[in-house]
Amino acid sequence: MPSRLVSGIRHIGHRVIEGVWRLGVASRFFILVLLKSGTSLRRFNLVIRELYFTGVLSLIIIVVSGLFVGMVLGLQGYETLQKYGSESAVGTLVALSLVRELGPVVAALLFASRAGSAITAEIGLMKATEQLTAMGMMAVDPIARVVAPRFWSGVISMPFLAAIFSVMGVFGGYLVTVVFIGVDEGSYWSQMQSAVDFRFDIMNGFIKSCYFGVAVTAIAVFEGYDAPPTAEGVSGATTRTVVTSSLVILGLDFILTAFMFRGVS
């Protein structure tokens, strides 16, 4: 029994040390990407090409998901508010839920699942097929040429995707509550306009989506670049990207929300 206990403690310690070591490597890699981003930003066509891959191709899932989330919020909000005779405030509920929390968080989770995993798989496969090594032999820096453009494309596209998600959600709530159920259209829009504050609601949601964009894309490019050059290694790196990104998004959301609420008070 004592030997099994010691073995368990040793295993936990090993995992903790490995996690700290990996966090240090990831931090050093992130700083390296920032230092070598000058080339990508000077040749901005590289970033624009990746913007299509990470941003434009993610639009369908963002638009459809935002629409359905807004419709569900409208239904649930109307069902709850009508018990208190406040069904006219359903627009406020839908808008605040989306711009403060659901828009940035759900859009980031979808972005991590669709674009983050694809970035990891692409860079991992380039490593497995020795394309990154070939670039190095031709004096082309793979971090400046491959990693940095993908990183900045994710950082740029994430706030726009979150905004589109929120807009589609508000439209979905309008469809369900105003068009189908019959809530007064003027009340839906006027109460929303008076309740949603640009600085504390919309800007805080925008700031959250920027943090999520940096976190998700940094994890995606690191996992791809650090993936073992095998099919199994790339598969594992893709899974780690989705899982780690999801946990980081939720943790960051709690921390940012705590700071933002403290700022309001």
Side-chain angles (χ1 to χ4, degrees), residues 201-212:
D201 298 323
I202 295 178
M203 285 309 297
N204 282 348
F206 174 77
I207 291 169
K208 280 185 180 182
S209 62
C210 291
Y211 275 99
F212 296 158

Side-chain angles (χ1 to χ4, degrees), residues 4-254:
R4 293 179 62 181
L5 182 63
V6 170
S7 175
I9 294 173
R10 184 179 300 165
H11 178 70
I12 293 172
H14 175 71
R15 295 298 296 267
V16 170
I17 292 172
E18 190 180 60
V20 172
W21 176 82
R22 191 169 173 77
L23 183 63
V25 173
S27 302
R28 192 173 60 181
F29 179 78
F30 179 65
I31 294 171
L32 195 61
V33 171
L34 293 181
L35 291 176
K36 296 191 176 183
S37 293
T39 305
S40 304
L41 297 177
R42 282 194 297 273
R43 300 176 61 189
F44 204 65
N45 60 320
L46 296 174
V47 179
I48 292 175
R49 191 168 59 189
E50 296 304 326
L51 271 174
Y52 173 79
F53 179 71
T54 57
V56 177
L57 295 184
S58 301
L59 274 177
I60 292 179
I61 189 172
I62 292 292
V63 168
V64 174
S65 301
L67 184 67
F68 279 109
V69 168
M71 292 169 76
V72 171
L73 271 178
L75 279 176
Q76 293 280 11
Y78 178 80
E79 177 66 21
T80 303
L81 292 174
Q82 72 165 347
K83 297 177 182 175
Y84 306 99
S86 304
E87 61 270 16
S88 59
V90 68
T92 303
L93 184 146
V94 170
L96 289 179
S97 303
L98 284 166
V99 297
R100 282 184 178 180
E101 288 298 327
L102 291 178
V105 173
V106 178
L109 291 173
L110 293 171
F111 181 77
S113 303
R114 192 266 157 202
S117 60
I119 290 172
T120 300
E122 188 180 14
I123 297 176
L125 285 174
M126 291 178 76
K127 183 179 181 183
T129 53
E130 299 186 345
Q131 294 180 51
L132 300 182
T133 306
M135 284 185 182
M137 293 177 67
M138 292 185 292
V140 176
D141 191 337
I143 293 182
R145 180 65 176 78
V146 174
V147 175
R150 285 162 175 77
F151 171 74
W152 286 109
S153 68
V155 173
I156 294 170
S157 58
M158 184 63 240
F160 289 101
L161 293 174
I164 292 170
F165 184 96
S166 297
V167 170
M168 291 307 300
V170 170
F171 179 65
Y174 168 82
L175 281 180
V176 167
T177 56
V178 176
V179 177
F180 297 141
I181 297 178
V183 173
D184 181 66
E185 183 176 0
S187 300
Y188 184 87
W189 293 115
S190 63
Q191 294 207 22
M192 183 188 302
Q193 288 174 356
S194 61
V196 176
D197 185 86
F198 180 78
R199 180 183 172 189
F200 291 113
D201 298 323
I202 295 178
M203 285 309 297
N204 282 348
F206 174 77
I207 291 169
K208 280 185 180 182
S209 62
C210 291
Y211 275 99
F212 296 158
V214 172
V216 171
T217 328
I219 292 169
V221 294
F222 171 70
E223 290 291 353
Y225 200 81
D226 191 54
T230 61
E232 186 180 3
V234 175
S235 172
T238 306
T239 305
R240 281 196 302 275
T241 293
V242 177
V243 173
T244 309
S245 298
S246 302
L247 295 176
V248 168
I249 288 166
L250 297 176
L252 268 178
D253 182 47
F254 171 74

